[in-house]
């Protein structure tokens, strides 16, 4: 197990018996169910008895909280983009 996986798994286990855990979709590679340290969302789900779902936006978060039983995030249908700041290229006036 990678060093960065342990804190995530420990944090989920430490919250006790819950129906589910919402994680920010930004923790996953764009368009993939893989975290930055190469742990898959499937592996994370196997490490816990709680249902683990990514949420992209505030609307997703609200939908998941209001009806977690039927909430399912289907990520493959979403457009993927990469945000890049141009702050390093700006010059002060």
């Amino acid at each position: 197990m990678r060093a960065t996986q342990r804190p995530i798994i420990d944090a989920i286990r430490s919250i006790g018996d819950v129906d589910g855990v919402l994680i920010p979709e930004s923790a996953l590679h764009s368009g993939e169910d893989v975290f930055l340290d190469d742990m898959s969302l499937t592996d994370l789900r196997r490490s816990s008895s709680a249902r683990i779902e990514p949420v992209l936006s505030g609307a997703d978060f609200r939908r998941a909280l209001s009806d977690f039983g039927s909430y399912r995030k289907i990520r493959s249908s979403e457009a993927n983009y990469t945000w890049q700041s141009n702050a390093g290229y700006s010059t002060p006036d």
Side-chain angles (χ1 to χ4, degrees):
M1 184 172 296
R2 296 179 190 269
T4 53
Q5 293 173 356
R6 175 57 53 198
I8 295 171
I9 293 168
D10 288 347
I12 291 172
R13 287 180 180 159
S14 73
I15 59 177
D17 187 27
V18 296
D19 292 332
V21 176
L22 301 176
I23 61 167
E25 190 167 309
S26 61
L28 301 166
H29 284 288
S30 180
E32 299 180 70
D33 286 343
V34 178
F35 290 88
L36 297 177
D37 63 359
D38 294 327
M39 176 176 64
S40 72
L41 183 56
T42 301
D43 290 341
L44 179 61
R45 286 174 170 156
R46 286 183 188 140
S47 72
S48 172
S49 60
R51 189 172 134 215
I52 301 171
E53 293 290 336
V55 292
L56 176 63
S57 65
D60 286 338
F61 185 71
R62 182 173 40 90
R63 207 168 33 252
L65 288 178
S66 63
D67 190 13
F68 191 67
S70 63
Y71 176 80
R72 295 286 183 275
K73 184 65 177 168
I74 301 171
R75 299 179 63 235
S76 61
S77 65
E78 294 180 353
N80 295 316
Y81 67 91
T82 302
W83 178 82
Q84 182 176 353
S85 171
N86 65 353
Y89 304 106
S90 300
T91 58
D93 292 332

